[in-house]
Amino acid sequence: KQWYQRRVRGTDVDKKFCKMIKECFESASSLPPPRGIAHSAQSRAIYALDMMLKWNDDKTEMVPQLLEVNFNPDNQRACQYHPNFYNHCLKTLLCEDIDGIPVTEIS
């Protein structure tokens, strides 16, 4: 069976992904450069995260897996599926305005 046929709730999976992303960037910024990402209130960046879902050992829960993180990724596919991708990114990153934009705030 596929994960969606096993009644795995999407919101639970989404929460796990958000937690994993937050922990990834907290860890990456926990050390000073060059070992970590420097803190700067003026810094803005776009990262791409390659992720997948994997069943836990007893096949009762989907666990997110982080495969790779890329700085300044090629967003051609994102623009094909979401024509306003860069408009939304720039409004979010530069104006800090997420009203009406399909963004999930990770806090």
Side-chain angles (χ1 to χ4, degrees), residues 86-99 101:
Y86 274 112
N87 291 334
H88 290 163
C89 286
L90 293 173
K91 189 173 181 183
T92 301
L93 293 172
L94 301 177
C95 301
E96 297 180 5
D97 180 8
I98 62 172
D99 290 336
I101 295 178

Side-chain angles (χ1 to χ4, degrees), residues 17-30 37 47 49 66 68-69:
F17 271 119
C18 289
K19 183 176 185 256
M20 180 189 63
I21 294 167
K22 180 180 178 182
E23 289 173 354
C24 172
F25 283 101
E26 285 176 343
S27 177
S29 61
S30 66
I37 299 173
Y47 292 88
L49 286 78
L66 180 61
E68 125 182 285
V69 178

Side-chain angles (χ1 to χ4, degrees), residues 12-76:
D12 292 339
V13 174
D14 290 345
K15 287 178 187 177
K16 290 176 188 175
F17 271 119
C18 289
K19 183 176 185 256
M20 180 189 63
I21 294 167
K22 180 180 178 182
E23 289 173 354
C24 172
F25 283 101
E26 285 176 343
S27 177
S29 61
S30 66
L31 295 172
R35 293 178 62 196
I37 299 173
H39 173 75
S40 172
Q42 297 175 339
S43 177
R44 303 293 185 264
I46 296 177
Y47 292 88
L49 286 78
D50 292 335
M51 301 178 285
M52 67 178 213
L53 290 170
K54 177 182 175 184
W55 285 109
N56 66 353
D57 292 336
D58 58 0
K59 304 239 187 278
T60 59
E61 184 178 8
M62 296 299 292
V63 181
Q65 305 289 306
L66 180 61
L67 304 176
E68 125 182 285
V69 178
N70 295 300
F71 173 74
N72 198 20
D74 175 14
N75 292 307
Q76 182 177 357

